[in-house]
Amino acid sequence: ITKTEGFKNVNLGNCYPKSKKEFIQYTKEADIDSIIKYNEEAVFVTVALHELLGHGTGKLFVRNKNGEFNFDKSNLKHPFTGGEISTWYEEGETWGSKFGKISSAYEECRADSVALYLSCFPEILSILLPGREQEFDDIVYTAWLNMASAGLKGLLFYSADTKQWGQAHIADRYAILQVLLEAGNDFVKIEETEKDGKPYFYFTLDKSQIKTTGKKAIGDFLRVSEIFWY
């Protein structure tokens, strides 16, 4: 059904956990307050955009057994080269069959990146959270902070012995974290310190750079990843 109609999605808003201060790690006090206050809205925005416009958009370019394409091969141009599309899937091939184990993590990474990028547009937030315009910046900040810090915390689910991630969403958020770290301008920083006499670190994300450094980094990442997905 996803090839012709699209994805079916649900919102489990009544199941979102409440953030508790004692369970929030590696985060400075001011950011903890933001997470506690806006986590529910931030999760709602990212999940909605992840499911509806992340998983729910895009299609595989396919040539059927009769040599016909499901896209306009003559007029659709490659966004990097400006030339015609030169690769596609053959009939019966799927994203999963071609890329195996990495396919799930890659698709989750695409959906989460879409969610972060589109969260920067107030027009979209006005649809999801009407009447909350004065809080948009704080909600988006919490959403980005949650996503990036999840990549760091997800290291607990990586096996150094097998070089495997325990879950597709965790692998995708680690990849997004690397993109944001490589964005530069100290947009995302990991500050080593001590706490209670033991080594510790704080994770920070510059709120003022989300719509500049952050948006550009995720946008560039999406353009590259979309080419391989299609």
Side-chain angles (χ1 to χ4, degrees):
I1 190 171
T2 59
K3 290 183 179 179
T4 56
E5 301 297 336
F7 286 76
K8 181 177 74 171
N9 300 286
V10 295
N11 174 31
L12 303 177
N14 61 320
C15 297
Y16 294 161
K18 297 292 184 181
S19 294
K20 295 183 178 180
K21 187 172 183 178
E22 58 268 28
F23 296 137
I24 301 176
Q25 296 178 298
Y26 318 121
T27 306
K28 292 188 174 180
E29 194 71 26
D31 289 333
I32 290 176
D33 294 339
S34 180
I35 291 172
I36 291 174
K37 185 173 182 179
Y38 292 110
N39 186 66
E40 186 173 341
E41 293 85 349
V43 172
F44 169 66
V45 167
T46 52
V47 170
L49 296 177
H50 172 111
E51 298 293 348
L52 297 173
L53 298 174
H55 291 316
T57 56
K59 71 176 183 179
L60 300 183
F61 290 169
V62 177
R63 179 173 62 183
N64 66 23
K65 60 184 178 182
N66 297 320
E68 300 168 332
F69 294 93
N70 69 340
F71 63 98
D72 188 348
K73 186 174 181 297
S74 299
N75 295 314
L76 187 64
K77 301 302 180 183
H78 192 295
F80 287 172
T81 68
E84 289 189 0
I85 302 298
S86 58
T87 59
W88 47 78
Y89 293 80
E90 300 295 345
E91 185 170 341
E93 293 179 339
T94 66
W95 171 249
S97 70
K98 294 295 288 184
F99 292 94
K101 289 183 178 180
I102 197 175
S103 62
S104 293
Y106 205 111
E107 169 62 8
E108 296 302 338
C109 192
R110 187 179 76 92
D112 270 341
S113 297
V114 167
L116 288 182
Y117 188 82
L118 293 182
S119 72
C120 294
F121 293 86
E123 300 91 336
I124 290 178
L125 295 175
S126 294
I127 295 172
L128 296 175
L129 297 169
R132 304 287 295 276
E133 285 77 11
Q134 298 301 315
E135 301 169 282
F136 281 173
D137 286 346
D138 291 324
I139 292 169
V140 170
Y141 174 61
T142 303
W144 280 65
L145 187 65
N146 282 345
M147 188 74 72
S149 61
L152 192 62
K153 297 169 186 175
L155 285 169
L156 291 170
F157 300 91
Y158 177 75
S159 171
D161 294 331
T162 63
K163 294 181 170 53
Q164 296 288 326
W165 291 92
Q167 213 274 350
H169 289 87
I170 295 170
D172 104 60
R173 286 158 191 172
Y174 181 77
I176 288 174
L177 171 61
Q178 299 311 305
V179 170
L180 299 182
L181 285 168
E182 292 171 7
N185 296 331
D186 285 335
F187 176 52
V188 170
K189 292 191 295 183
I190 299 173
E191 303 173 5
E192 296 185 17
T193 184
E194 287 190 357
K195 185 177 181 180
D196 300 327
K198 298 180 180 179
Y200 199 75
F201 63 87
Y202 285 110
F203 177 90
T204 60
L205 184 147
D206 188 344
K207 181 179 180 181
S208 68
Q209 294 191 59
I210 288 177
K211 294 182 180 179
T212 53
T213 304
K215 181 183 174 186
K216 182 181 185 306
I218 290 296
D220 290 344
F221 182 53
L222 268 174
R223 277 188 284 274
V224 173
S225 61
E226 287 285 355
I227 292 300
F228 290 101
W229 195 85
Y230 287 125

